[in-house]
Amino acid sequence: MTGTPAAHEALAALTLDIAREAAAYVTSARPPGRVPVAQTKSSPTDPVTEIDRATEELIRARIAAARPGDGVVGEEGEAVAGDSGVVWVVDPIDGTVNFMYGIPAFAVSIGVEIDGVVEVGCVVNAATKEEYTAVRGNGAYARTPGGEPVRLAAQAPPALSHALVGTGFNYVLATRLHQARAVTSLLEHVRDIRRGGSAALDLCALAQGRLDAYVEQGLKPWDLAAGGLVAAESGVVLAGLTGRPDERLTMAAPTALAAEYFATVRACGF
Ligand code: IPD
């Protein structure tokens, strides 16, 4: 049953329900002004807030109630091993720094892996309530509040020189200095760079035609799982240094641009 289309659709519906509830919680719990930092993680500028933690607890509780045999990997808690072959990959707030400052680009990101492959993805921008969903093999969709879902088809720019490239900078100083040098080299080959502050939303923006390409180093599975599937299902190719995208390198571009873009990214030293 786990691998059937009906099972995928049921998982997708549950994922969207949970992500919507979590996104509603994130905005209702957010105090006015600057949100205080509860703790820092990989570096002194890598924040976690109490609302990140509470949102992840909410998501984990909903998953455990609906599907007690599933595993969970989340940004703010211990991994839970399940026995069903299904693992939920959860970022309660992707774009925590945006959330702290009140910049309206922070999202609940939930990917669902079956036997190690992300089969369902859902990203909900908690600030704008834009929703992005994908089921492997069934396309990617965006929905604005009150609107109908619109199928996403990534568009390649006329040339690499006209590509608007999304990226991000890791919290760890050595990694961000490496990224900064590589981005400096990349700038002469592309239209411009955008740093949105949420990798999940960047990948959805690529699917939606708000970006032409993407590159980042240091992404964790929860940054990448759901947005990566949304991008892939819109016609985006994703790659890493050797094969699949991962923490070392994630490059993404529409099919027609992918080979040239990936070669350029590598030549720039990412
Ligand atoms: C971060 C965001 C950011 C990316 C960082 C991530 P977080 O996730 O996705 O855009 O550049 O690498 O860590 O910490 O806000 O969940």
Side-chain angles (χ1 to χ4, degrees):
M1 175 68 183
T2 305
T4 66
H8 279 56
E9 288 305 329
L11 263 178
L14 177 63
T15 308
L16 179 58
D17 274 355
I18 295 173
R20 278 180 177 162
E21 184 183 348
Y25 173 74
V26 167
T27 41
S28 68
R30 191 184 185 287
R34 191 75 62 88
V35 180
V37 176
Q39 197 187 336
T40 58
K41 296 187 291 185
S42 62
S43 84
T45 55
D46 180 3
V48 58
T49 73
E50 290 299 349
I51 301 170
D52 290 75
R53 290 176 177 156
T55 306
E56 184 159 321
E57 279 170 25
L58 182 159
I59 294 169
R60 284 174 181 257
R62 294 294 178 273
I63 294 168
R67 298 184 51 96
D70 291 357
V72 181
V73 177
E75 181 169 20
E76 313 302 347
E78 296 296 314
V80 173
D83 57 12
S84 65
V86 175
V87 177
W88 297 67
V89 186
V90 174
D91 193 339
I93 304 180
D94 186 55
T96 298
V97 174
N98 287 347
F99 175 67
M100 282 171 52
Y101 282 77
I103 298 168
F106 47 87
V108 175
S109 171
I110 306 178
V112 187
E113 289 181 356
I114 301 177
D115 298 330
V117 177
V118 183
E119 297 285 346
V120 168
C122 180
V123 177
V124 177
N125 183 332
T128 66
K129 298 297 183 280
E130 287 172 293
E131 299 172 350
Y132 302 90
T133 55
V135 174
R136 185 170 295 281
N138 272 355
Y141 292 83
R143 186 177 164 280
T144 48
E148 292 298 316
V150 175
R151 187 158 185 165
L152 299 176
Q155 291 182 349
L160 178 60
S161 58
H162 286 59
L164 185 62
V165 179
T167 192
F169 297 98
N170 197 254
Y171 296 112
V172 176
L173 183 61
T175 308
R176 69 165 44 200
L177 290 177
H178 181 96
Q179 290 170 304
R181 282 189 286 271
V183 166
T184 302
S185 300
L186 185 62
L187 269 170
E188 74 177 82
H189 301 284
V190 299
R191 181 194 293 277
D192 207 345
I193 298 291
R194 292 290 181 271
R195 199 289 191 246
S198 160
L201 288 175
D202 287 342
L203 288 161
C204 294
L206 177 54
Q208 203 171 15
R210 292 177 176 171
L211 291 172
D212 293 313
Y214 175 77
V215 61
E216 185 150 357
Q217 292 171 314
L219 293 186
K220 301 291 186 188
W222 42 82
D223 299 316
L224 180 58
L229 183 62
V230 170
E233 286 296 320
S234 77
V236 165
V237 182
L238 293 104
L241 200 58
T242 52
R244 288 167 69 164
D246 58 14
E247 192 165 349
R248 168 63 183 83
L249 180 65
T250 294
M251 308 180 280
T255 310
L257 188 69
E260 184 186 5
Y261 174 69
F262 293 171
T264 306
V265 164
R266 298 287 297 112
C268 288
F270 276 95

